[in-house]
Amino acid sequence: MKNVLEWLEQSAEKYADKTAFMGDRDVTFSQVMIWAKAIGSEIAKIEGDAPVAVFSSRSATTPALFAGIVYSGRAYAPIDATLPQKRIHKILDNLAPSLILADAQSEARLWEIAEEIFGTRTPKVKIVDFEKETICTATDAQAHSDEISLTSECIDVEKLEAIREKMIETDPLYMIYTSGSSGNPKGVMTSHLSLITYINSYCKVMKIDHTDCLGNQSPLDYIAAIRDIYIPYKTGCQTAIIPKEYFMEPNELFGYMNEKHVTSVGWSVSALTVPLSLGAFEEVKLTTLNKICFSGSVMPCSALRVWQENLPDALFVNQYGPTEATASCTYYVVDHKVTDDEVLPIGKAYENYKVFLLDENNQVANRGEICVSGPILALGYYNDPERTEKSFINNPANKAYPERIYRTGDIGSLDENGILHFHGRMDRQVKHMGHRVELDEVECAANAVEGISESACLYNKPKEVLVLFYCGEVEKRGLSLALRESIPGFMVPRKLIKMDELPKLPNGKIDLKKLEGEM
């Protein structure tokens, strides 16, 4: 197969009336396909092939928006409407979308953003209302026109078939925007081929089939959500979109998962550890969950042991990898009861992935920088050839033929069994709360605040706390509020330390080692 829509169409034929996505409402496979084809037919009327920006709620209908864009022959870029306006501005400036597509729940926020970002220049906007089953063109916060229904009668079969005939497996499928060290987010482009390769490999390791129900934890604009969106298309299984607030209420969380018969989850480590700190398993037990994959940061084995004790027959898998390798590139099946002081390996490469280590001399070694190649590599960073060229390079250890690789910036080592172990970052990129954070980007945002002369951001890994040291006239609360206007909440340091001056090295650079002692 060469296109993810083939998965959707096969499942819609085989499981037409089966619920594919559960959340604010139940959506069947046939509904997803019909809505998506109608949306795609409407978008296809717009000339050009530039990506489509998507503003949507965390809804069971959101996958239909994404699929509709794919039917139109374009790539989609999901954008969290709750992000600070400055960050959304940067994303849209890089993306230059042919259209902004939004659901009815996001419309008010979209126009609030549009007034700030576009001013008098009105963007092309289409609003999809799944309650009314309509799609319409919008020119401002009040004016809607050309309303059509989201029904099979509005599907332009010939147009969609003509588009599909021209599509190939390496066409871009989506752009996920991640943190960038320059202060500008990076739009990681992933192809149909890369997504298909990853989903096939993940399903094989996790043993997922049509009988499963996935429990979605991550926002639908985040890289981890691709599993919860595309695995149902491939297998005919279901996804339950778990209310965000339940992760702070373990009894509600577990009760919901039992009610929906959730069997498999792919969560960030924090989604597993936070409920434990709030009393998970003390009152309500999980009755259907039997497959747990975790990623995003290092799993504390003291927490994993509690999950193992409460779910003794479950499959536990540690997953590692960057967005640039389509979510993850290695996995480790935990085949024993862990001890509190144990550090889990990150395992071996997924099927059809090549993972290896390069030492300081760019030679393949048993210890060095973790590098990835294969069909799962991202196409690059959208509209950013310089950063693409810097990050996606030809394998310096291969002189015989061109081999494109991605250098992760992580240090790893291979043990005597060929199992990969993770040893931290080479640079200043960290994993925090399941998100990738460039410490330099936090500093860029802080230094842009009026009254701040300089700053340095560090990460207290044991406590999972971002720490910002700064000099200036701004008080802590004012700085925190200012940062929330330009970077996402998870990137705003929880600990702010005001100093008269930051310690310096003889070369004039900030002495980060000395600051580490002040955390």
Side-chain angles (χ1 to χ4, degrees), residues 36-47:
K37 285 184 175 181
I39 292 168
S41 298
E42 181 67 10
I43 297 174
K45 297 175 183 177
I46 300 172
E47 294 185 1

Side-chain angles (χ1 to χ4, degrees), residues 284-399:
V284 180
K285 305 296 182 182
L286 287 167
T287 58
T288 60
L289 184 65
N290 54 36
K291 303 167 187 176
I292 301 99
C293 181
F294 47 88
S295 59
S297 56
V298 177
M299 166 63 83
C301 281
S302 57
L304 177 56
R305 182 177 51 79
V306 177
W307 280 88
Q308 286 182 315
E309 290 172 348
N310 282 277
L311 297 171
D313 299 322
L315 170 67
F316 290 90
V317 176
N318 184 25
Q319 181 179 251
Y320 158 84
T323 304
E324 287 84 351
T326 315
S328 291
C329 56
T330 71
Y331 70 96
Y332 175 74
V333 176
V334 185
D335 58 0
H336 62 283
K337 181 71 72 66
V338 299
T339 58
D340 287 3
D341 58 352
E342 189 176 344
V343 178
L344 293 176
I346 54 176
K348 60 183 181 180
Y350 274 115
E351 186 176 74
N352 224 3
Y353 283 60
K354 181 179 177 181
V355 179
F356 58 99
L357 307 175
L358 290 179
D359 63 18
E360 62 274 11
N361 298 314
N362 284 327
Q363 297 299 309
V364 177
N366 287 330
R367 185 180 177 91
E369 182 178 5
I370 302 172
C371 299
V372 191
S373 68
I376 44 61
L377 280 193
L379 298 172
Y381 302 120
Y382 189 72
N383 254 345
D384 201 340
E386 291 183 4
R387 282 201 283 194
T388 297
E389 185 177 351
K390 182 179 178 181
S391 298
F392 297 88
I393 65 170
N394 192 64
N395 184 358
N398 182 357
K399 306 299 182 183

Side-chain angles (χ1 to χ4, degrees), residues 112-383:
E112 177 185 327
I113 295 166
E115 289 178 8
E116 171 72 20
I117 293 175
F118 296 98
T120 57
R121 182 163 55 91
T122 303
K124 294 179 181 177
V125 175
K126 289 188 182 294
I127 306 297
V128 181
D129 189 330
F130 289 101
E131 291 298 326
K132 297 179 181 178
E133 289 200 284
T134 59
I135 179 173
C136 57
T137 301
T139 55
D140 57 41
Q142 286 78 38
H144 289 173
S145 62
D146 303 327
E147 186 174 286
I148 65 169
S149 69
L150 284 176
T151 61
S152 56
E153 289 76 19
C154 296
I155 297 172
D156 188 335
V157 176
E158 291 185 3
K159 181 70 172 178
L160 297 187
E161 287 180 351
I163 290 171
R164 283 284 282 281
E165 286 180 2
K166 296 178 182 179
M167 294 175 73
I168 60 176
E169 62 185 3
T170 52
D171 283 337
L173 173 60
Y174 59 73
M175 288 81 167
I176 298 289
Y177 278 83
T178 66
S179 176
S181 58
S182 66
N184 294 316
K186 297 181 291 191
V188 182
M189 292 186 290
T190 297
S191 70
H192 287 258
L193 173 62
S194 295
L195 187 280
I196 290 167
T197 301
Y198 171 66
I199 294 298
N200 282 337
S201 302
Y202 181 88
C203 288
K204 185 174 181 179
V205 170
M206 297 301 294
K207 300 178 174 62
I208 296 174
D209 61 26
H210 70 281
T211 64
D212 281 298
C213 179
L214 313 180
N216 166 259
Q217 168 252 329
S218 68
L220 298 183
D221 64 299
Y222 185 48
I223 185 63
I226 63 171
R227 295 186 291 266
D228 304 323
I229 293 170
Y230 289 102
I231 290 176
Y233 295 170
K234 170 183 166 55
T235 67
C237 75
Q238 300 175 298
T239 287
I241 300 174
I242 304 172
K244 181 180 179 181
E245 60 271 17
Y246 285 5
F247 286 88
M248 300 303 291
E249 298 285 346
N251 289 346
E252 296 289 338
L253 173 64
F254 286 7
Y256 181 89
M257 292 172 68
N258 291 338
E259 177 190 341
K260 301 298 183 183
H261 302 285
V262 171
T263 60
S264 179
V265 299
W267 288 356
S268 67
V269 167
S270 60
L272 294 168
T273 58
V274 170
L276 292 182
S277 68
L278 299 172
F281 292 112
E282 290 178 4
E283 296 180 19
V284 180
K285 305 296 182 182
L286 287 167
T287 58
T288 60
L289 184 65
N290 54 36
K291 303 167 187 176
I292 301 99
C293 181
F294 47 88
S295 59
S297 56
V298 177
M299 166 63 83
C301 281
S302 57
L304 177 56
R305 182 177 51 79
V306 177
W307 280 88
Q308 286 182 315
E309 290 172 348
N310 282 277
L311 297 171
D313 299 322
L315 170 67
F316 290 90
V317 176
N318 184 25
Q319 181 179 251
Y320 158 84
T323 304
E324 287 84 351
T326 315
S328 291
C329 56
T330 71
Y331 70 96
Y332 175 74
V333 176
V334 185
D335 58 0
H336 62 283
K337 181 71 72 66
V338 299
T339 58
D340 287 3
D341 58 352
E342 189 176 344
V343 178
L344 293 176
I346 54 176
K348 60 183 181 180
Y350 274 115
E351 186 176 74
N352 224 3
Y353 283 60
K354 181 179 177 181
V355 179
F356 58 99
L357 307 175
L358 290 179
D359 63 18
E360 62 274 11
N361 298 314
N362 284 327
Q363 297 299 309
V364 177
N366 287 330
R367 185 180 177 91
E369 182 178 5
I370 302 172
C371 299
V372 191
S373 68
I376 44 61
L377 280 193
L379 298 172
Y381 302 120
Y382 189 72
N383 254 345

